[in-house]
Amino acid sequence: MQTKFLIIISFLLGFSAIADVEEPFSVSASFRKSDDGQVLLSVSFSIENHYYLYAEQIQVEASGGVELAPKKIPQPKQKHDALTGTTVGAY
């Protein structure tokens, strides 16, 4: 009986640990005004080790007729993607 109880507890603790895994990346955005009065949007990604984001899949869009013009976008690193077998731009 005690062995079954310990197996169940171990299973639940293991499942709980899996459920608490953090997301592989997060996104944050902020606005500020430049010296010449333009409103600037800054978008930042935080990416966990051993994960990456495909550069061509990242999109930042605005609604309500707002036009976004990229001011500074870092160059992605070229990485071999084991899933597709190709070289991709990734962050």
Side-chain angles (χ1 to χ4, degrees), residues 59-73:
Q59 296 180 7
V60 178
E61 298 176 350
S63 61
V66 174
E67 184 179 326
L68 299 176
K71 187 157 182 125
K72 179 182 169 190
I73 300 174

Side-chain angles (χ1 to χ4, degrees), residues 15-33:
F15 184 74
S16 163
I18 291 170
D20 287 340
V21 172
E22 291 186 27
E23 294 294 322
F25 67 90
S26 62
V27 180
S28 63
S30 63
F31 290 99
R32 69 176 177 87
K33 270 198 173 177

Side-chain angles (χ1 to χ4, degrees), residues 1-90:
M1 176 74 170
Q2 187 177 16
T3 303
K4 288 181 183 178
F5 179 73
L6 290 175
I7 290 172
I8 292 170
I9 294 297
S10 297
F11 175 76
L12 292 175
L13 288 175
F15 184 74
S16 163
I18 291 170
D20 287 340
V21 172
E22 291 186 27
E23 294 294 322
F25 67 90
S26 62
V27 180
S28 63
S30 63
F31 290 99
R32 69 176 177 87
K33 270 198 173 177
S34 67
D35 292 337
D36 61 357
Q38 289 184 325
V39 177
L40 303 176
L41 168 65
S42 177
V43 179
S44 299
F45 295 88
S46 177
I47 307 166
E48 293 290 326
N49 289 335
H50 309 294
Y51 290 93
Y52 57 93
L53 296 176
Y54 293 101
E56 66 273 1
Q57 296 295 320
I58 298 173
Q59 296 180 7
V60 178
E61 298 176 350
S63 61
V66 174
E67 184 179 326
L68 299 176
K71 187 157 182 125
K72 179 182 169 190
I73 300 174
Q75 289 295 316
K77 294 181 181 177
Q78 296 301 303
K79 185 169 190 70
H80 176 75
D81 183 7
L83 187 62
T84 63
T86 61
T87 300
V88 296

